[in-house]
Amino acid sequence: MVSLTQQPSTHPLADLIHCLESGGALLPDSPNNVLEVVGVLKSYGVVLDAYSRNLIYIAEQQFLVLFPFFKYFDGEISLQKLLRHWWHDRINYEYAEYCMKGMLWHGGGGLDTYLDSAEFSQRIEAAIQAKIGGSPMLALHKLFPDFLPEQVRQLAYYSALGQFWRVMSDMFLELSDRYDRREIRAIADVVAHIRDALVEAAALPITYAVTIKGEVYEIIPKSVGLTFLQDTAVPYVEAVFFRSFPFFGTVSYNAQAHQISDKPSDFSYGALFADPLPVGSAGIPPTLLMQDMRHYLPDYLHDLYMQGLRGEDDLRVKISISFQKSMFCVTTAAILGLMPHPLNTADPTQRQENRTYLEGWMDRLSDSRLADVQDE
Amino acid sequence: MLSTLIWAPVLGAILIAFLPQFANSERARQAALVIAIFTLGWTVFLITQFDISDAALQLQETLPWVEPLGLTYRLGVDGLSLPLVAMNSLLVAVAIYSSDPKINRPQLYYALFLLLGAAVAGAFLAQNLLLFFLFYELELIPLYLLIAIWGGAKRGYAATKFLIYTATSGILILAAFFGLTLLSGMSTFDYAALQSQVLPLGTQVILLVTLLIGFGIKIPLVPLHTWLPDAHVEASTPTSVLLAGMLLKLGTYGLLRFGLGLFPDAWRVLAPWLAAIAVVNVLYGSFVAIAQTDMKKIVAYSSVGHMGFVILASAAATPLSILAAVGQMVSHGLISALLFLLVGVVYSKTGTRDVTVLRGLLNPERGLPLIGSLMIAGVMASGGIPGMVGFVAEFVVYRSSFSVFPVQTLLCVLGTGLTAVYFLNLVNRAFFGRLPESLENLPRVYWRDRIPSVVMTILIIFLGLQPSWLFRWSEVTSTTLGALTTRPVAQLTPLAETSTVSFPEISPIPNPVFENF
């Protein structure tokens, strides 16, 4: 006899699978968790806004500038800004570039495919000729014909990540506003807000054009059909949340001793796996993001952090822990948004497909920091 | 002038102990600190009055006291005692500063600390044997109480053991002093008068051996050392700082002042044995330190090892080696004080000193990064890394002792290598790696926890880079003291004739030898 009710999962993370199936999230619901997640996403939204503007600025205004000394200045160069830059009391745009390079390296999605297409080559050749025509750089381009196209591919990722973060930034700031209006009260509300925003922006076109000598060159035209969800959000989650680069300086790996997998798809060094407690000295990439966020923490979150034993001393670790919690909410939203069938479907076959889909995610998350965020 | 160093803290101790307004812990601490800093300032003033080119006792004070007993209140300072007096004033201030602000029975605690500082200063300054003995014994009482009242779980055992050992040490020293006075037919215990004694060498050797055992307990010499690790482990951090930094130096100071100073001929006979004991101290202390897992015991046994260097240099008894002995005393005082201070902070924040439990404390956000960095500096200094005072002192110890005891010196050099073994082991286990979950939420470290260690580190590096400031005070005195063993033996006795010990010719060091550092 076939049972009409679904059998419980036998997956090691079955509890979480059941939780997701019944509308829960990867992060347990608690008032502190909501406060931490919303608070940290607010500061993340502010930082992402700056990252996004800068990435798009670099893609559009620093096109094939091979020595972009002032690329972090968004076109406003002043002595005051230069001194501030050197003093390092600034947004660490380097972190945004690390994420961009992670995406460039791991690829995936329609953008990756398009950047290797003949159409892309034709389009950028015109732009390259327009940019360097008549300069000695042309000889360099002839000598190394792959060099400049690869630079443009990277600039395409600058632009794509900039556009992705533009949406995410607005969404996180909107989340914060809704929290302030008391519309967000539980982790499920946070996840729903993110999921809805992702679904709403899913079909948003990703395009990239540069203006050279007054003429517009479309590097990624709308006709290519790249969209927000499948071509930036999914590759971003894959590259930055899951695989990423080994976070520099956090742990030393010996690749020759096979401590790093030969297959990039097996990499698990992303944000969901990173140890919030840095080992060794400061200044590693995740710390850069936390350093940026600490300037924009809402008061209620700062007050919560100050209740800890160490006050300001370990602020970046606390932000890192909260950030990881919030990223599990974003991951939940992404998992739910990409679900093959509606969560509440009554069809047993669809339910089973959903179950298999969720178990696939849980396999990947089994070594992540998921267990550590379940404590509270 | 010198009396101020003794009586200002004593007066302060009485005021703090009996005035009711000091029942408040913080107020008592502040008052004690003011007195300690005043004493330190007075010491600095005395240093400016000190003439480094004069080998004689300076700033002398004499008052008749109990004439029939030969006891006079005679104080004086020379190049041998000045650096130690200065370090005593500094360490008392540091120890009081680093005391727990919420300590129980603050009046008694701070009064005892000041009394301890006064007694140690008195012992260094006393120029009458009986007066020295009085201060030497007086210092036991506050130290015993500091361990017995504010110590760890087994404080009763440790304090009693300390008292029994050091009281025995006092009895032996008193016996030697009495023996010297009686046998030489003197009616006074004044140091200067007794220096001219002409006892037979055999008698001198017996008296010196008695003194050696007496001071040997204090230094401590292996196998008389067993009280030290127990006392250190149970003592609170400020007490450990003074115990390692100053109290052990009373032993080596006593050896040089009274052993070498009063019995130079017998010293020649016993020196090779003393050098051998130094080797045992260095190697035994180092090997036992390697086997320890309690950070405080590691530092305590490293003290046993490093005091061996002082013994080696003292045994060699050349002008340069005595200078080296004084330098090593100061160097070890500063370094061991730093290490005990740091271990104290680690213990107060983590609740353990066990290096098998501690890990990753250098973590920049959640660990003790500055304390860890200073610990690395401290163990580098202790391991004799150039640029720090440990290197300068140990280098001069080896340089000066090698010509007299080459084999023993080389064996002691091995001890410096072993220092690196146990201290790197300590740093590697406790400070590197990932902070374990049990230590992820350590309490905050405040600047008041850090300042004493920072001050000690600055001094350690400063004297490492500018060693003439370490040695200049003692050059003339050590030349005089070192010349004692090279003078012709006045009276040859059968024991001296049969002695096969030969001493190489020692040329006095050019003066001032450290001007070029």
Side-chain angles (χ1 to χ4, degrees):
Chain A
M1 200 175 104
V2 179
S3 167
L4 288 177
T5 54
Q6 201 174 13
Q7 292 295 315
S9 170
T10 54
H11 194 274
L13 295 176
D15 287 350
L16 283 167
I17 292 172
H18 298 148
C19 175
L20 287 173
E21 282 174 346
S22 57
L26 292 173
L27 181 70
D29 192 12
S30 75
N32 258 9
N33 273 352
V34 177
L35 188 150
E36 275 187 63
V37 164
V38 175
V40 89
L41 284 180
K42 179 182 184 176
S43 56
Y44 189 47
V46 176
V47 173
L48 281 192
D49 175 59
Y51 288 164
S52 159
R53 284 171 204 280
N54 185 248
L55 287 171
I56 290 171
Y57 167 79
I58 292 174
E60 292 179 355
Q61 309 295 322
Q62 301 278 307
F63 183 76
L64 291 186
V65 177
L66 294 184
F67 299 99
F69 290 117
F70 295 106
K71 63 178 173 179
Y72 299 144
F73 283 64
D74 289 344
E76 300 163 25
I77 301 164
S78 67
L79 181 66
Q80 197 186 2
K81 210 168 172 184
L82 186 67
L83 292 174
R84 197 181 136 114
H85 180 83
W86 282 336
W87 186 246
H88 269 265
D89 178 25
R90 61 178 173 93
I91 297 276
N92 290 287
Y93 297 106
E94 290 87 340
Y95 177 78
E97 290 188 314
Y98 289 131
C99 290
M100 179 279 295
K101 294 228 165 161
M103 286 180 76
L104 171 70
W105 202 80
H106 289 286
L111 180 59
D112 191 25
T113 315
Y114 170 69
L115 294 182
D116 291 325
S117 68
E119 184 189 350
F120 174 75
S121 300
Q122 285 164 11
R123 285 181 176 276
I124 60 165
E125 190 55 35
I128 290 171
Q129 292 297 338
K131 179 78 185 176
I132 63 167
S135 78
M137 284 284 286
L138 207 57
L140 179 83
H141 181 46
K142 289 220 165 75
L143 204 57
F144 303 105
D146 291 334
F147 178 69
L148 293 180
E150 190 64 14
Q151 292 296 312
V152 182
R153 282 190 192 105
Q154 178 169 301
L155 287 164
Y157 269 101
Y158 268 100
S159 175
L161 180 59
Q163 293 172 67
F164 170 66
W165 272 348
R166 178 75 265 133
V167 173
M168 299 306 279
S169 166
D170 295 342
M171 179 232 285
F172 292 143
L173 293 176
E174 169 66 17
L175 173 75
S176 167
D177 292 345
R178 286 187 61 200
Y179 177 79
D180 294 344
R181 293 197 299 265
R182 299 186 173 278
E183 291 169 23
I184 301 285
R185 291 165 180 272
I187 290 295
D189 297 339
V190 175
V191 172
H193 175 89
I194 299 171
R195 186 197 60 215
D196 293 348
L198 287 176
V199 170
E200 192 188 323
L204 208 69
I206 298 293
T207 59
Y208 173 34
V210 287
T211 307
I212 302 166
K213 294 171 186 158
E215 197 167 333
V216 177
Y217 292 84
E218 287 196 308
I219 310 282
I220 307 175
K222 200 173 174 181
S223 60
V224 178
L226 297 185
T227 55
F228 171 82
L229 188 67
Q230 288 299 336
D231 303 313
T232 58
V234 172
Y236 174 82
V237 168
E238 180 68 28
V240 176
F241 282 23
F242 283 92
R243 299 187 193 179
S244 199
F245 31 83
F247 275 155
F248 307 135
T250 309
V251 183
S252 294
Y253 295 102
N254 183 348
Q256 287 169 337
H258 302 288
Q259 286 172 356
I260 291 183
S261 170
D262 294 336
K263 285 187 283 181
S265 57
D266 289 344
F267 277 22
S268 55
Y269 310 107
L272 301 180
F273 297 80
D275 186 349
L277 212 63
V279 175
S281 57
I284 54 176
T287 318
L288 288 183
L289 174 62
M290 308 313 152
Q291 175 69 21
D292 288 346
M293 286 201 281
R294 72 181 294 168
H295 299 300
Y296 304 105
L297 292 178
D299 290 341
Y300 56 82
L301 185 58
H302 192 260
D303 293 344
L304 177 76
Y305 287 158
M306 291 310 283
Q307 290 167 15
L309 276 175
R310 292 218 142 188
E312 289 264 354
D313 286 4
D314 64 344
L315 201 54
R316 288 179 298 192
V317 172
K318 290 175 193 150
I319 297 173
S320 194
I321 292 169
S322 302
F323 180 68
Q324 219 154 28
K325 288 181 178 176
S326 72
M327 289 302 111
F328 277 108
C329 291
V330 176
T331 308
T332 310
I335 291 174
L336 296 178
L338 295 168
M339 205 91 152
H341 305 289
L343 193 60
N344 52 3
T345 176
D347 181 345
T349 320
Q350 289 189 351
R351 285 173 72 99
Q352 192 50 45
E353 280 176 22
N354 276 351
R355 169 68 61 81
T356 312
Y357 163 83
L358 288 177
E359 285 179 346
W361 278 99
M362 291 306 129
D363 287 342
R364 296 200 67 189
L365 286 170
S366 56
D367 292 335
S368 74
R369 303 275 305 173
L370 194 51
D372 301 87
V373 299
Q374 304 300 319
D375 295 344
E376 288 175 35
Chain B
M1 295 227 283
L2 292 178
S3 289
T4 312
L5 296 181
I6 300 168
W7 298 108
V10 169
L11 194 67
I14 293 168
L15 289 178
I16 289 175
F18 294 108
L19 288 186
Q21 53 262 52
F22 295 120
N24 175 305
S25 162
E26 188 55 39
R27 203 171 290 166
R29 180 172 174 273
Q30 283 167 359
L33 203 54
V34 166
I35 293 159
I37 289 172
F38 167 76
T39 314
L40 180 60
W42 191 258
T43 312
V44 173
F45 167 70
L46 291 180
I47 289 173
T48 62
Q49 304 299 305
F50 186 80
D51 178 4
I52 56 171
S53 60
D54 187 358
L57 281 173
Q58 298 182 37
L59 309 169
Q60 290 199 60
E61 290 175 22
T62 310
L63 273 176
W65 194 0
V66 190
E67 293 288 354
L69 270 180
L71 173 62
T72 44
Y73 178 81
R74 187 188 295 272
L75 304 180
V77 67
D78 64 0
L80 185 59
S81 47
L82 183 75
L84 298 174
V85 168
M87 200 164 66
N88 181 49
S89 301
L90 173 71
L91 290 186
V92 169
V94 165
I96 289 173
Y97 184 88
S98 56
S99 293
D100 179 3
K102 295 189 181 71
I103 196 125
N104 288 328
R105 302 162 82 173
Q107 285 178 287
L108 181 61
Y109 178 85
Y110 291 109
L112 288 176
F113 252 106
L114 290 172
L115 214 54
L116 179 60
V120 173
F124 284 135
L125 297 173
Q127 298 305 325
N128 178 289
L129 271 54
L130 219 45
L131 188 65
F132 170 84
F133 173 77
L134 288 178
F135 282 123
Y136 188 86
E137 289 292 290
L138 179 65
E139 144 269 317
L140 291 187
I141 302 161
L143 196 56
Y144 166 76
L145 292 173
L146 283 169
I147 299 173
I149 299 175
W150 292 274
K154 288 163 64 182
R155 55 184 184 269
Y157 168 78
T160 310
K161 193 170 175 183
F162 162 77
L163 191 67
I164 293 172
Y165 267 80
T166 38
T168 312
S169 147
I171 293 166
L172 289 169
I173 292 165
L174 185 64
F177 287 170
F178 268 130
L180 173 64
T181 322
L182 289 175
L183 294 174
S184 56
M186 302 267 188
S187 58
T188 174
F189 280 92
D190 277 355
Y191 180 76
L194 288 166
Q195 260 189 315
S196 56
Q197 54 83 13
V198 280
L199 285 175
L201 189 57
T203 316
Q204 281 197 37
V205 167
I206 292 167
L207 291 173
L208 182 56
V209 167
T210 315
L211 269 188
L212 272 181
I213 298 171
F215 285 121
I217 292 172
K218 196 84 179 174
I219 294 172
L221 294 182
V222 177
L224 309 169
H225 67 284
T226 57
W227 64 271
L228 182 75
D230 286 322
H232 268 310
V233 168
E234 299 307 323
S236 62
T237 299
T239 315
S240 275
V241 166
L242 277 195
L243 183 59
M246 286 326 303
L247 274 298
L248 309 187
K249 275 67 192 179
L250 271 181
T252 38
Y253 167 81
L255 266 195
L256 284 175
R257 171 76 73 202
F258 303 106
L260 175 62
L262 295 176
F263 310 106
D265 302 334
W267 191 269
R268 291 193 208 185
V269 179
L270 293 177
W273 296 100
L274 206 51
I277 293 171
V279 172
V280 173
N281 248 50
V282 170
L283 296 182
Y284 176 84
S286 305
F287 280 120
V288 178
I290 291 173
Q292 301 305 313
T293 54
D294 182 334
M295 279 170 113
K296 220 171 179 184
K297 272 198 171 171
I298 297 175
V299 181
Y301 276 107
S302 99
S303 275
V304 174
H306 284 231
M307 289 306 281
F309 299 141
V310 184
I311 313 290
L312 176 74
S314 307
T318 68
L320 187 58
S321 81
I322 287 165
L323 194 61
V326 179
Q328 174 66 14
M329 280 194 254
V330 175
S331 156
H332 175 258
L334 295 174
I335 295 171
S336 61
L338 171 65
L339 294 176
F340 277 118
L341 284 169
L342 295 171
V343 172
V345 178
V346 170
Y347 184 58
S348 71
K349 301 296 168 189
T350 65
T352 180
R353 295 186 303 254
D354 189 340
V355 291
T356 60
V357 175
L358 295 169
R359 193 165 162 69
L361 289 180
L362 263 178
N363 189 293
E365 306 273 335
R366 287 254 169 121
L368 314 167
L370 184 67
I371 296 298
S373 308
L374 295 177
M375 180 63 101
I376 291 173
V379 304
M380 280 165 70
S382 189
I385 299 291
M388 294 167 144
V389 72
F391 167 77
V392 178
E394 287 177 25
F395 177 77
V396 183
V397 167
Y398 299 144
R399 168 73 186 79
S400 59
S401 309
F402 185 77
S403 55
V404 186
F405 300 117
V407 177
Q408 291 91 326
T409 305
L410 287 175
L411 286 169
C412 284
V413 173
L414 200 62
T416 299
L418 292 172
T419 304
V421 174
Y422 57 76
F423 273 144
L424 283 184
N425 197 15
L426 181 153
V427 166
N428 192 32
R429 281 176 165 193
F431 289 92
F432 288 102
R434 190 193 185 278
L435 208 57
E437 270 176 33
S438 57
L439 301 174
E440 269 182 19
N441 270 310
L442 299 178
R444 221 168 167 173
V445 181
Y446 295 96
W447 273 105
R448 78 186 292 157
D449 301 321
R450 298 172 178 144
I451 284 173
S453 314
V454 170
V455 170
M456 301 312 284
T457 311
I458 290 171
L459 275 173
I460 285 169
I461 293 173
F462 173 75
L463 292 177
L465 297 175
Q466 187 56 273
S468 67
W469 277 70
L470 176 64
F471 292 115
R472 59 192 300 196
W473 321 104
S474 320
E475 270 184 65
V476 181
T477 308
S478 58
T479 307
T480 318
L481 207 55
L484 287 177
T485 52
T486 55
R487 69 180 186 185
V489 178
Q491 286 184 339
L492 288 179
T493 63
L495 183 65
E497 280 170 350
T498 53
S499 166
T500 52
V501 182
S502 63
F503 279 80
E505 275 300 308
I506 298 154
S507 55
I509 48 169
N511 192 16
V513 74
F514 285 100
E515 209 66 341
N516 297 329
F517 259 100

